[in-house]
Amino acid sequence: MRLALLALAFAPASGLQLGRSAARKPAFRPEVTATGPCLSRQRFVQAGAAALALGRLGVASAEEEKFSRMGGLLEPFVDISKGYKLYKPSGWTQYDQDPGVYEVKFADIIEPFETVIVSSSPVSTATSVSALGELDAVGAKFAKSRNSELVKATERDANGSLVYTFELKGEKYHELLALSINRGKLFRVSAVATNKRWPKRSELYNNIMLSFVPSGV
């Protein structure tokens, strides 16, 4: 089942999907014995290596970040029938559903390559994106399949639905990718820009990902 879910997650939408990720791991806690806290040399080395790995990949909890409409640059978009909602870029061209490709696509008028795409695939058994695997494992598969570098991986709770979000950097393009499973669907939200223009789009895209809720209204 996990392989089938990963195949759905990797299914291309109308737009570039790079890929990569890392996982949140529970904070390291020392063993407690009758004589007090105790760290073996091996546990200490393992904990240090894990901390360094997480630091390099920029893994963090998206719950620490706060959504912003950016002074009106984002406006609400709700698709009740499809079961999701998010904030979309104000003034961007909207392309309605292309069956089998995407649910909706938003493209910048001046830079049409810069897009935000929502797509979905039916899921019969899984009820959470955790069925794909742990955050780091899923991200590693995306990175390998997209020939891209994982910059950051986060997970958050969106009204009871777990959302994985990955920041991916390829040779020419940059992407934010969110994955979540709810109401019998695997949702994918992809936001893409060139590496050159990424500094101008990263904050906007990040707030779009933070606004995404796969449970609709």
Side-chain angles (χ1 to χ4, degrees), residues 85-99:
K85 61 184 177 181
L86 50 67
Y87 274 73
K88 65 176 184 178
S90 178
W92 284 27
T93 303
Q94 178 176 326
Y95 298 90
D96 293 327
Q97 183 182 23
D98 184 352

Side-chain angles (χ1 to χ4, degrees), residues 111-211:
E111 300 285 345
F113 177 79
E114 296 179 6
T115 59
V116 175
I117 297 173
V118 181
S119 57
S120 69
S121 304
V123 175
S124 58
T125 55
T127 58
S128 171
V129 72
S130 61
L132 294 173
E134 294 187 2
L135 186 63
D136 57 347
V138 176
K141 289 183 174 68
F142 270 100
K144 184 177 180 180
S145 67
R146 304 292 195 270
N147 293 320
S148 59
E149 172 192 357
L150 175 67
V151 177
K152 185 178 181 181
T154 63
E155 61 182 36
R156 66 182 176 89
D157 178 86
N159 288 1
S161 295
L162 180 63
V163 179
Y164 285 175
T165 303
F166 307 113
E167 181 180 342
L168 314 167
K169 182 180 180 182
E171 183 179 352
K172 297 181 179 179
Y173 308 109
H174 219 113
E175 179 188 29
L176 277 184
L177 176 66
L179 302 173
S180 187
I181 292 177
N182 193 53
R183 300 175 69 174
K185 294 181 180 179
L186 169 63
F187 289 95
R188 299 179 297 275
V189 184
S190 172
V192 180
T194 62
N195 288 332
K196 182 178 180 179
R197 293 217 6 118
W198 185 254
K200 298 179 181 296
R201 287 299 183 211
S202 60
E203 184 179 3
L204 182 79
Y205 285 172
N206 186 60
N207 278 292
I208 291 173
M209 297 299 165
L210 289 173
S211 74

